[in-house]
Amino acid sequence: GLDLERKKVTVKLNSLLKEFRGGDPPTLDLEYDHLVVAVGCKVDDKGVPGASKALRLKTCDDARRLRTAVGECFEYASRPDVAGPEYEKERTQRATFLVVGGGPTGVELAGELYDLTQDVTREHKGSYPRLRNNVRVILVHSGSDLVPQFEPPLRAEALKSLRKKGVEVILNTRVSEVGDGFAKISTKVVDEETGEVIGRDESTVVVGLTVWCAGTAPVSFVSQLLDQLPEYARSADGKIKVDKWLRPPMKDQSLMGSVLVLGDAAAVDDGNNGLLPQTAQVAGQQGAYVARMLSRGYDLEVTPPALPCTPLADCDVFADEQLIQWLKFRGLDVASQFRFLNLGLLAYLGGGEALSQVQVG
């Protein structure tokens, strides 16, 4: 729970001994001076039946589950009950990996799966050499280009590289249902002359494993926070709008600056009528920026945030006078706005190849 007016957060601790102890883990009421919201986002699987049961690659726990599941697929395809030549099709179905989403996560996962299959199916050295001709990696993407964050030539190179390696890339296609051992897909049918969509081609893919890497959505804590903020604080995609100092608007102006939002939960203007991307690079720089503001003791209620004992803020009896004088000497008595320094983009494609879009600024 969250109470902005009382500056209090109620948290429920995870129990590491839940398998050995009964009862619910305790809840704690934590009071704060400044609340830093960096809760990230979750995988968006709404509207697709069965998608919630697909594996995903968002957290460390997700990665561990995925690693185990991939190994189980190879084992399942190597069982004695499908060892004969008459079971070639069944082995292939069990060793088919479907990746949904052609963004950086989906593309990199497809590349990593390619590397893994090349390694484990090596003759005399791999653990599953008999599956070399059975493993399939399928990448389904709803758009017309992979990794749309990159420049067009690099998008084309990503598609070319993955297909050259044997990854089956299906563009302009949505997954309409995920089931036990299958996925239904719907592909746009485009008129070659006019380029208009004239229908959709429905088909079913038999798979051993489906990984959902398509889209993100805000977590429940973001909704709780938005319920206590002005309506205009909600962005079109459900994130929290913040100003140039990462502060969301408040109904009570005396609470301004008591909450700071960063990372995937924040909608930050990029200066070009868009929003900063949801990348670790952005979140990392925002985290360092917030840490500097808090450690320097800026009064975050005023705009722009300023040091105590300046014309823009009242004196604070807890202020560090030496730190204040040092910051003033460096011209840092007023907090600068957050500015993102773009250091470029990188996406692994498998086989030692990667996309690199270098841009500083």
Side-chain angles (χ1 to χ4, degrees):
L2 172 63
D3 190 334
L4 290 184
E5 293 186 358
R6 297 172 60 189
K7 292 187 176 181
K8 185 176 71 173
V9 178
T10 302
V11 298
K12 186 175 184 179
L13 303 180
N14 289 326
S15 175
L16 300 179
L17 300 175
K18 60 183 179 180
E19 296 181 1
F20 310 100
R21 292 182 178 176
D24 294 328
T27 58
L28 296 177
D29 289 333
L30 302 177
E31 296 182 351
Y32 63 84
D33 294 313
H34 297 284
L35 177 64
V36 179
V37 179
V39 294
C41 59
K42 64 180 181 179
V43 175
D44 185 10
D45 51 24
K46 289 183 179 179
V48 180
S52 60
K53 297 181 180 179
L55 292 168
R56 60 273 319 275
L57 190 55
K58 187 64 180 172
T59 67
C60 291
D61 287 339
D62 291 339
R64 283 189 283 267
R65 282 191 289 267
L66 178 59
R67 179 181 62 185
T68 301
V70 170
E72 286 296 315
C73 281
F74 284 116
E75 286 292 327
Y76 190 46
S78 302
R79 287 182 176 180
D81 60 326
V82 290
E86 66 273 19
Y87 296 107
E88 183 82 12
K89 183 178 179 180
E90 177 65 24
R91 285 198 301 273
T92 299
Q93 291 175 353
R94 294 184 179 188
T96 296
F97 302 96
L98 175 65
V99 180
V100 183
T105 301
V107 166
E108 289 189 325
L109 177 58
E112 292 283 3
L113 284 173
Y114 165 80
D115 285 351
L116 176 64
T117 57
Q118 291 298 301
D119 181 57
V120 301
T121 60
R122 288 182 302 169
E123 191 71 29
H124 305 302
K125 294 183 178 180
S127 302
Y128 307 98
R130 295 182 180 180
L131 297 179
R132 187 164 188 83
N133 296 322
N134 299 114
V135 179
R136 296 175 65 195
V137 179
I138 305 173
L139 177 60
V140 172
H141 182 52
S142 62
S144 57
D145 293 308
L146 296 178
V147 285
Q149 298 87 344
F150 286 79
E151 297 295 331
L154 293 176
R155 301 176 201 171
E157 185 60 33
L159 178 62
K160 177 182 176 182
S161 175
L162 289 176
R163 283 180 169 169
K164 183 178 179 180
K165 294 178 177 66
V167 177
E168 301 174 41
V169 181
I170 309 175
L171 300 176
N172 298 311
T173 300
R174 293 183 177 275
V175 174
S176 56
E177 182 181 351
V178 177
D180 184 11
F182 72 92
K184 293 183 179 180
I185 61 176
S186 176
T187 305
K188 292 180 182 176
V189 179
V190 181
D191 189 294
E192 296 182 358
E193 296 182 358
T194 63
E196 296 181 354
V197 178
I198 58 177
R200 303 194 73 91
D201 183 21
E202 310 287 340
S203 60
T204 299
V205 181
V206 181
V207 300
L209 184 69
T210 299
V211 187
W212 195 272
C213 304
T216 59
V219 298
S220 59
F221 185 83
V222 170
S223 299
Q224 293 181 39
L225 178 53
L226 282 169
D227 289 341
Q228 301 181 50
L229 297 178
E231 186 60 34
Y232 59 86
R234 187 187 302 270
S235 70
D237 54 358
K239 295 192 288 186
I240 303 169
K241 292 182 180 179
V242 295
D243 64 8
K244 298 174 181 178
W245 296 273
L246 305 182
R247 305 174 303 180
M250 290 287 177
K251 292 180 179 179
D252 183 352
Q253 289 306 305
S254 66
L255 296 174
M256 190 66 179
S258 62
V259 177
L260 299 169
V261 187
L262 56 89
D264 294 348
V268 185
D269 187 1
D270 65 357
N272 296 308
N273 297 321
L275 299 177
L276 292 180
Q278 296 180 212
T279 64
Q281 186 181 157
V282 172
Q285 293 183 28
Q286 289 174 337
Y289 172 80
V290 167
R292 286 194 298 270
M293 285 207 303
L294 294 177
S295 64
R296 291 172 180 175
Y298 288 119
D299 181 358
L300 300 179
E301 186 179 340
V302 299
T303 302
L307 292 174
C309 302
T310 70
L312 296 176
D314 296 329
C315 290
D316 186 346
V317 294
F318 298 103
D320 186 335
E321 186 62 32
Q322 290 184 340
L323 175 62
I324 291 174
Q325 294 303 322
W326 180 77
L327 291 171
K328 285 182 178 180
F329 178 75
R330 296 189 60 195
L332 298 173
D333 51 327
V334 175
S336 61
Q337 302 174 1
F338 174 74
R339 289 184 175 85
F340 171 58
L341 178 62
N342 193 337
L343 301 176
L345 300 171
L346 186 68
Y348 183 65
L349 300 175
E353 298 180 348
L355 298 180
S356 178
Q357 182 170 299
V358 180
Q359 54 190 81
V360 179

